[in-house]
Amino acid sequence: MKKWKWRLLAVVLTLSLLAPPLSVRAGSLTVTSVTGARGDETAVELRLDSQEVCSGSLNVLFDSTKLEFVSAERSAESGQGAVNLTAPGKLRVNFASTEPLTQPVLCRLTFRITADTPTAGTPITLDGVRLYDQNAKVVSTSLEMGSVTRSCAWLEMSSSETVEGQAARVELQLSGSPLPAGGSLTVVYDPAVLKPTAVIPLDQTSGVRLTQNLSESGKVYLSFASTAAIPAGKLCALVFQAVGQSDSSTQLSLEDACLFDENGAAIDSGVVSGTIGVVLPEQNDPKLWVLGGAIQADGTAKLGVRVDGRGLVCGGQFTLDLSGMTVQKVEADSSVVWNCGDSGKTLEFSWASAAPMMDETMLATVTLSGAVGGTYLTPKNVYLFDAGGNSIGRFDARRGLVSARAEITAAADTAQTVKTDAGTSVSLAMDVSDVRYYTDEQVSLVTCVLALYDSNGRMTGVGMQTARPLEDGTAELQLTADASLPADSYRVIVMESGQLIPAGAAVSGSLDAGG
């Protein structure tokens, strides 16, 4: 062997002899986690997983403002030692044995859960850990910390979205431990954004007495009671109508929650608030139309109800207020269930589909007698559901118009304004439907003009959309207009073959500051 190889081997052997002794096989030291109610005494265990450890010392740390230390019990198999409270929130653990410890539990530490113990848990941690084998060599260990958690019953409000003028449904759910037999709470909301319309008991509340009070603006008072603990699940659904403008929202804050058990004793509770947002409908959002409505010579009017499912809708329900008119005839798709409610004052529809509705689907046609011109038929209490049975929050519902005139109905989303160095740019999404759809005088093409005005009523900008056909009686339009001078308001003018058409709910409004 060459001399340089002998020298290299000698260096390696010398370094190995000079190296410090390595720690022996690694183990783990774990603090278990526990959960209990306020006032309970619960024990966490300090567990050692190692076949080498004979002695050691360590500190157990906890927050004494959130937990009350009660006692410590050492395992008989952990040899000689002690557990001492050396300072608030600090326990010193020492142990020693002539043989390696074979039982995993070093000691049990009992704490009392207080009102200040968090429902998210308070940690039990370790530091200053020193573990040794029979030869006083260090045993390396991994550390796993534990926690103590205060259990409670939870009231959680879901969140939802809807569009202007439409309904939103949220659900109040009960969970946690111990579960209550009754309680009360207040749901606080912004009355400028929402108006409550109903509280609906759900299946999980069978045998539960549920009461509500909606009379005070901005608050919904709820109370519920049963003779036994109420199972975890959905207590009730709350239905609101959006009265605020698009881009508004409100928190549904759960306040003054008080829960009690079957003996009337108060139990701990936690709450999770929800929100409802009022959003702009998008072009790909589902849409419910009411179209037609022209009054015939015999005094009747025929309307259609159509849903554009957009590949999302698998079912739904809604109500039409007939405003004193009488149902003469209803022709409905086989999937539709309809009923005259409130002594004939309303029409109630519901339907279901095995697969998402991709195309425009005519749900029903309705013939009314005693038709009254100028009457709007607005879908109310509208719910659309997806394939999972979940309520779809984002959709649009367009009302119909009973009229003796040759006109269309028109409705628009909030105008979007952008201020630039060159002036003001405005875009507007608008829907139109043909009142004469079920007559021989259907509208073929419509042209819409978006006109912009300043604060003195002078026109400062205009944009015209090319003629658009009304396919199946409706059209979705996107209008734009630019103004080099300030613009404070807008108006949409609708024409057919160059002639003005009266538009029900004429589309006009003010413009925001933009930007």
Side-chain angles (χ1 to χ4, degrees), residues 362-383:
M362 188 66 72
L363 297 176
T365 58
V366 180
T367 302
L368 301 174
S369 59
V372 179
T375 302
Y376 285 99
L377 296 180
T378 304
K380 297 181 179 179
N381 301 322
V382 180
Y383 299 100

PDB file of all heavy atoms in Angstrom, residues 362-383:
ATOM      1  N   MET A 362     -88.391  25.887 -19.993  1.00  0.00           N
ATOM      2  CA  MET A 362     -89.666  26.500 -19.647  1.00  0.00           C
ATOM      3  C   MET A 362     -90.339  25.623 -18.600  1.00  0.00           C
ATOM      4  O   MET A 362     -90.734  24.488 -18.873  1.00  0.00           O
ATOM      5  CB  MET A 362     -90.548  26.641 -20.883  1.00  0.00           C
ATOM      6  CG  MET A 362     -91.812  27.452 -20.634  1.00  0.00           C
ATOM      7  SD  MET A 362     -91.494  29.196 -20.250  1.00  0.00           S
ATOM      8  CE  MET A 362     -90.980  29.813 -21.866  1.00  0.00           C
ATOM      9  N   LEU A 363     -90.457  26.142 -17.393  1.00  0.00           N
ATOM     10  CA  LEU A 363     -91.057  25.372 -16.306  1.00  0.00           C
ATOM     11  C   LEU A 363     -92.567  25.303 -16.437  1.00  0.00           C
ATOM     12  O   LEU A 363     -93.170  24.248 -16.217  1.00  0.00           O
ATOM     13  CB  LEU A 363     -90.685  25.989 -14.953  1.00  0.00           C
ATOM     14  CG  LEU A 363     -89.204  25.998 -14.576  1.00  0.00           C
ATOM     15  CD1 LEU A 363     -89.013  26.733 -13.255  1.00  0.00           C
ATOM     16  CD2 LEU A 363     -88.660  24.573 -14.475  1.00  0.00           C
ATOM     17  N   ALA A 364     -93.193  26.418 -16.773  1.00  0.00           N
ATOM     18  CA  ALA A 364     -94.658  26.445 -16.827  1.00  0.00           C
ATOM     19  C   ALA A 364     -95.127  27.670 -17.593  1.00  0.00           C
ATOM     20  O   ALA A 364     -94.415  28.676 -17.710  1.00  0.00           O
ATOM     21  CB  ALA A 364     -95.240  26.464 -15.415  1.00  0.00           C
ATOM     22  N   THR A 365     -96.342  27.582 -18.139  1.00  0.00           N
ATOM     23  CA  THR A 365     -97.048  28.750 -18.659  1.00  0.00           C
ATOM     24  C   THR A 365     -98.324  28.915 -17.855  1.00  0.00           C
ATOM     25  O   THR A 365     -98.972  27.922 -17.470  1.00  0.00           O
ATOM     26  CB  THR A 365     -97.376  28.598 -20.154  1.00  0.00           C
ATOM     27  OG1 THR A 365     -98.164  27.404 -20.354  1.00  0.00           O
ATOM     28  CG2 THR A 365     -96.110  28.499 -20.984  1.00  0.00           C
ATOM     29  N   VAL A 366     -98.667  30.162 -17.582  1.00  0.00           N
ATOM     30  CA  VAL A 366     -99.808  30.479 -16.716  1.00  0.00           C
ATOM     31  C   VAL A 366    -100.730  31.430 -17.452  1.00  0.00           C
ATOM     32  O   VAL A 366    -100.284  32.464 -17.974  1.00  0.00           O
ATOM     33  CB  VAL A 366     -99.341  31.126 -15.397  1.00  0.00           C
ATOM     34  CG1 VAL A 366    -100.540  31.440 -14.505  1.00  0.00           C
ATOM     35  CG2 VAL A 366     -98.348  30.223 -14.674  1.00  0.00           C
ATOM     36  N   THR A 367    -102.009  31.084 -17.509  1.00  0.00           N
ATOM     37  CA  THR A 367    -103.019  31.972 -18.080  1.00  0.00           C
ATOM     38  C   THR A 367    -103.841  32.552 -16.938  1.00  0.00           C
ATOM     39  O   THR A 367    -104.392  31.806 -16.107  1.00  0.00           O
ATOM     40  CB  THR A 367    -103.939  31.234 -19.056  1.00  0.00           C
ATOM     41  OG1 THR A 367    -103.148  30.651 -20.102  1.00  0.00           O
ATOM     42  CG2 THR A 367    -104.957  32.184 -19.675  1.00  0.00           C
ATOM     43  N   LEU A 368    -103.900  33.887 -16.887  1.00  0.00           N
ATOM     44  CA  LEU A 368    -104.620  34.593 -15.827  1.00  0.00           C
ATOM     45  C   LEU A 368    -105.852  35.270 -16.404  1.00  0.00           C
ATOM     46  O   LEU A 368    -105.801  35.866 -17.487  1.00  0.00           O
ATOM     47  CB  LEU A 368    -103.721  35.642 -15.181  1.00  0.00           C
ATOM     48  CG  LEU A 368    -102.408  35.135 -14.547  1.00  0.00           C
ATOM     49  CD1 LEU A 368    -101.570  36.309 -14.075  1.00  0.00           C
ATOM     50  CD2 LEU A 368    -102.708  34.176 -13.403  1.00  0.00           C
ATOM     51  N   SER A 369    -106.943  35.220 -15.683  1.00  0.00           N
ATOM     52  CA  SER A 369    -108.142  35.968 -16.057  1.00  0.00           C
ATOM     53  C   SER A 369    -108.262  37.178 -15.138  1.00  0.00           C
ATOM     54  O   SER A 369    -107.673  37.217 -14.056  1.00  0.00           O
ATOM     55  CB  SER A 369    -109.387  35.083 -15.953  1.00  0.00           C
ATOM     56  OG  SER A 369    -109.546  34.594 -14.628  1.00  0.00           O
ATOM     57  N   GLY A 370    -109.044  38.155 -15.605  1.00  0.00           N
ATOM     58  CA  GLY A 370    -109.145  39.397 -14.839  1.00  0.00           C
ATOM     59  C   GLY A 370    -107.831  40.138 -14.809  1.00  0.00           C
ATOM     60  O   GLY A 370    -107.477  40.757 -13.793  1.00  0.00           O
ATOM     61  N   ALA A 371    -107.081  40.072 -15.930  1.00  0.00           N
ATOM     62  CA  ALA A 371    -105.742  40.653 -15.979  1.00  0.00           C
ATOM     63  C   ALA A 371    -105.806  42.165 -15.784  1.00  0.00           C
ATOM     64  O   ALA A 371    -106.647  42.846 -16.370  1.00  0.00           O
ATOM     65  CB  ALA A 371    -105.084  40.325 -17.310  1.00  0.00           C
ATOM     66  N   VAL A 372    -104.905  42.658 -14.959  1.00  0.00           N
ATOM     67  CA  VAL A 372    -104.851  44.086 -14.639  1.00  0.00           C
ATOM     68  C   VAL A 372    -103.552  44.661 -15.193  1.00  0.00           C
ATOM     69  O   VAL A 372    -102.455  44.240 -14.794  1.00  0.00           O
ATOM     70  CB  VAL A 372    -104.920  44.311 -13.114  1.00  0.00           C
ATOM     71  CG1 VAL A 372    -104.840  45.809 -12.792  1.00  0.00           C
ATOM     72  CG2 VAL A 372    -106.182  43.699 -12.530  1.00  0.00           C
ATOM     73  N   GLY A 373    -103.662  45.621 -16.149  1.00  0.00           N
ATOM     74  CA  GLY A 373    -102.476  46.207 -16.754  1.00  0.00           C
ATOM     75  C   GLY A 373    -101.609  46.948 -15.745  1.00  0.00           C
ATOM     76  O   GLY A 373    -102.106  47.534 -14.778  1.00  0.00           O
ATOM     77  N   GLY A 374    -100.316  46.904 -15.993  1.00  0.00           N
ATOM     78  CA  GLY A 374     -99.385  47.583 -15.109  1.00  0.00           C
ATOM     79  C   GLY A 374     -99.012  46.797 -13.866  1.00  0.00           C
ATOM     80  O   GLY A 374     -98.351  47.332 -12.970  1.00  0.00           O
ATOM     81  N   THR A 375     -99.409  45.533 -13.803  1.00  0.00           N
ATOM     82  CA  THR A 375     -99.124  44.701 -12.631  1.00  0.00           C
ATOM     83  C   THR A 375     -97.847  43.896 -12.859  1.00  0.00           C
ATOM     84  O   THR A 375     -97.721  43.175 -13.852  1.00  0.00           O
ATOM     85  CB  THR A 375    -100.285  43.721 -12.350  1.00  0.00           C
ATOM     86  OG1 THR A 375    -101.488  44.469 -12.159  1.00  0.00           O
ATOM     87  CG2 THR A 375     -99.991  42.891 -11.107  1.00  0.00           C
ATOM     88  N   TYR A 376     -96.922  44.003 -11.948  1.00  0.00           N
ATOM     89  CA  TYR A 376     -95.689  43.215 -12.015  1.00  0.00           C
ATOM     90  C   TYR A 376     -95.870  41.902 -11.256  1.00  0.00           C
ATOM     91  O   TYR A 376     -96.472  41.868 -10.178  1.00  0.00           O
ATOM     92  CB  TYR A 376     -94.508  43.976 -11.431  1.00  0.00           C
ATOM     93  CG  TYR A 376     -94.000  45.072 -12.334  1.00  0.00           C
ATOM     94  CD1 TYR A 376     -94.373  46.393 -12.130  1.00  0.00           C
ATOM     95  CD2 TYR A 376     -93.160  44.757 -13.399  1.00  0.00           C
ATOM     96  CE1 TYR A 376     -93.915  47.390 -12.977  1.00  0.00           C
ATOM     97  CE2 TYR A 376     -92.697  45.741 -14.244  1.00  0.00           C
ATOM     98  CZ  TYR A 376     -93.082  47.062 -14.030  1.00  0.00           C
ATOM     99  OH  TYR A 376     -92.632  48.031 -14.874  1.00  0.00           O
ATOM    100  N   LEU A 377     -95.358  40.840 -11.848  1.00  0.00           N
ATOM    101  CA  LEU A 377     -95.348  39.532 -11.196  1.00  0.00           C
ATOM    102  C   LEU A 377     -93.890  39.201 -10.867  1.00  0.00           C
ATOM    103  O   LEU A 377     -93.100  38.866 -11.743  1.00  0.00           O
ATOM    104  CB  LEU A 377     -95.957  38.466 -12.100  1.00  0.00           C
ATOM    105  CG  LEU A 377     -97.445  38.655 -12.434  1.00  0.00           C
ATOM    106  CD1 LEU A 377     -97.936  37.534 -13.334  1.00  0.00           C
ATOM    107  CD2 LEU A 377     -98.281  38.695 -11.162  1.00  0.00           C
ATOM    108  N   THR A 378     -93.559  39.331  -9.600  1.00  0.00           N
ATOM    109  CA  THR A 378     -92.173  39.183  -9.149  1.00  0.00           C
ATOM    110  C   THR A 378     -91.995  37.860  -8.428  1.00  0.00           C
ATOM    111  O   THR A 378     -92.714  37.582  -7.458  1.00  0.00           O
ATOM    112  CB  THR A 378     -91.798  40.332  -8.199  1.00  0.00           C
ATOM    113  OG1 THR A 378     -92.025  41.587  -8.858  1.00  0.00           O
ATOM    114  CG2 THR A 378     -90.343  40.224  -7.769  1.00  0.00           C
ATOM    115  N   PRO A 379     -91.045  37.022  -8.864  1.00  0.00           N
ATOM    116  CA  PRO A 379     -90.767  35.786  -8.114  1.00  0.00           C
ATOM    117  C   PRO A 379     -90.252  36.131  -6.714  1.00  0.00           C
ATOM    118  O   PRO A 379     -89.317  36.918  -6.555  1.00  0.00           O
ATOM    119  CB  PRO A 379     -89.676  35.093  -8.951  1.00  0.00           C
ATOM    120  CG  PRO A 379     -89.761  35.712 -10.301  1.00  0.00           C
ATOM    121  CD  PRO A 379     -90.197  37.120 -10.074  1.00  0.00           C
ATOM    122  N   LYS A 380     -90.877  35.540  -5.703  1.00  0.00           N
ATOM    123  CA  LYS A 380     -90.476  35.768  -4.321  1.00  0.00           C
ATOM    124  C   LYS A 380     -90.102  34.444  -3.659  1.00  0.00           C
ATOM    125  O   LYS A 380     -90.477  33.372  -4.135  1.00  0.00           O
ATOM    126  CB  LYS A 380     -91.613  36.441  -3.537  1.00  0.00           C
ATOM    127  CG  LYS A 380     -91.988  37.817  -4.059  1.00  0.00           C
ATOM    128  CD  LYS A 380     -93.103  38.434  -3.230  1.00  0.00           C
ATOM    129  CE  LYS A 380     -93.456  39.834  -3.734  1.00  0.00           C
ATOM    130  NZ  LYS A 380     -94.559  40.445  -2.940  1.00  0.00           N
ATOM    131  N   ASN A 381     -89.375  34.559  -2.554  1.00  0.00           N
ATOM    132  CA  ASN A 381     -88.929  33.370  -1.807  1.00  0.00           C
ATOM    133  C   ASN A 381     -88.289  32.346  -2.757  1.00  0.00           C
ATOM    134  O   ASN A 381     -88.630  31.163  -2.747  1.00  0.00           O
ATOM    135  CB  ASN A 381     -90.093  32.734  -1.042  1.00  0.00           C
ATOM    136  CG  ASN A 381     -90.720  33.692  -0.048  1.00  0.00           C
ATOM    137  OD1 ASN A 381     -90.023  34.466   0.593  1.00  0.00           O
ATOM    138  ND2 ASN A 381     -92.032  33.656   0.062  1.00  0.00           N
ATOM    139  N   VAL A 382     -87.370  32.857  -3.581  1.00  0.00           N
ATOM    140  CA  VAL A 382     -86.741  32.020  -4.602  1.00  0.00           C
ATOM    141  C   VAL A 382     -85.577  31.242  -3.989  1.00  0.00           C
ATOM    142  O   VAL A 382     -84.702  31.818  -3.336  1.00  0.00           O
ATOM    143  CB  VAL A 382     -86.234  32.875  -5.778  1.00  0.00           C
ATOM    144  CG1 VAL A 382     -85.583  31.985  -6.846  1.00  0.00           C
ATOM    145  CG2 VAL A 382     -87.381  33.685  -6.378  1.00  0.00           C
ATOM    146  N   TYR A 383     -85.571  29.942  -4.202  1.00  0.00           N
ATOM    147  CA  TYR A 383     -84.450  29.086  -3.818  1.00  0.00           C
ATOM    148  C   TYR A 383     -84.080  28.216  -5.008  1.00  0.00           C
ATOM    149  O   TYR A 383     -84.950  27.586  -5.621  1.00  0.00           O
ATOM    150  CB  TYR A 383     -84.803  28.182  -2.629  1.00  0.00           C
ATOM    151  CG  TYR A 383     -85.172  28.931  -1.387  1.00  0.00           C
ATOM    152  CD1 TYR A 383     -86.506  29.100  -1.030  1.00  0.00           C
ATOM    153  CD2 TYR A 383     -84.198  29.480  -0.573  1.00  0.00           C
ATOM    154  CE1 TYR A 383     -86.855  29.804   0.101  1.00  0.00           C
ATOM    155  CE2 TYR A 383     -84.532  30.178   0.566  1.00  0.00           C
ATOM    156  CZ  TYR A 383     -85.866  30.337   0.903  1.00  0.00           C
ATOM    157  OH  TYR A 383     -86.205  31.035   2.031  1.00  0.00           O
TER     158      TYR A 383
END
